[in-house]
Amino acid sequence: MFRGASTGVHSPKAGEAYLREFPRGPFAVDTHLILAHFYDDLSKVILLEQTGRRIEYKYDCFAPFLTAEPLDEQRRRAREPALRHYRRVMEAYPSHRGLKRVLENLRQEETRTWFHCLD
């Protein structure tokens, strides 16, 4: 669903378009989770770039979504939607411990779990 042909990651534009059209649609929660994972991973790629610890295949996977903006701004623009989409999923699954942990790790900028472009 919403997979980008050249990148191997889900298309955030397609996911956002689906949610605009069907905010409570049958795949809304799944789409929020896909978008949360996408933006979470993008945030990690940017953080690694900021700290000089680039993982080439992850960077290559997300390079089409990077801009010329300062990395701090790009990272903020990735973290905010990740947090927003995770919160929407948590509304549907409030007792999901794994999801709570992922959300808390992202809030504390200690996220380590990857969801796209796996080894």
Side-chain angles (χ1 to χ4, degrees):
M1 176 189 305
F2 314 128
R3 191 163 297 278
S6 63
T7 62
V9 299
H10 294 93
S11 167
K13 288 182 182 180
E16 297 288 358
Y18 174 82
L19 291 173
R20 276 191 304 279
E21 183 82 18
F22 307 103
R24 295 192 182 355
F27 304 107
V29 173
D30 294 327
T31 303
H32 281 294
L33 185 59
I34 288 167
L35 288 168
H37 289 339
F38 170 83
Y39 287 113
D40 188 352
D41 280 358
L42 179 58
S43 176
K44 284 190 283 284
V45 166
I46 296 166
L47 174 62
L48 291 173
E49 192 67 12
Q50 286 178 302
T51 59
R53 298 178 295 148
R54 179 189 290 186
I55 300 172
E56 287 299 328
Y57 72 96
K58 299 279 189 192
Y59 181 87
D60 292 345
C61 190
F62 282 90
F65 304 99
L66 300 174
T67 69
E69 290 179 301
L71 292 173
D72 285 339
E73 179 64 18
Q74 289 186 67
R75 189 148 170 251
R76 183 188 65 75
R77 288 182 190 245
R79 280 186 77 246
E80 287 176 1
L83 291 167
R84 183 177 65 249
H85 289 292
Y86 276 133
R87 283 192 293 268
R88 293 299 302 269
V89 177
M90 288 300 302
E91 290 172 6
Y93 301 106
S95 61
H96 193 293
R97 281 186 251 145
L99 194 53
K100 282 182 183 178
R101 186 172 41 253
V102 168
L103 179 57
E104 188 55 34
N105 287 343
L106 180 60
R107 279 187 191 131
Q108 295 177 10
E109 298 187 341
E110 295 177 0
T111 180
R112 292 184 182 94
T113 303
W114 290 92
F115 303 100
H116 296 285
C117 310
L118 303 176
D119 297 343

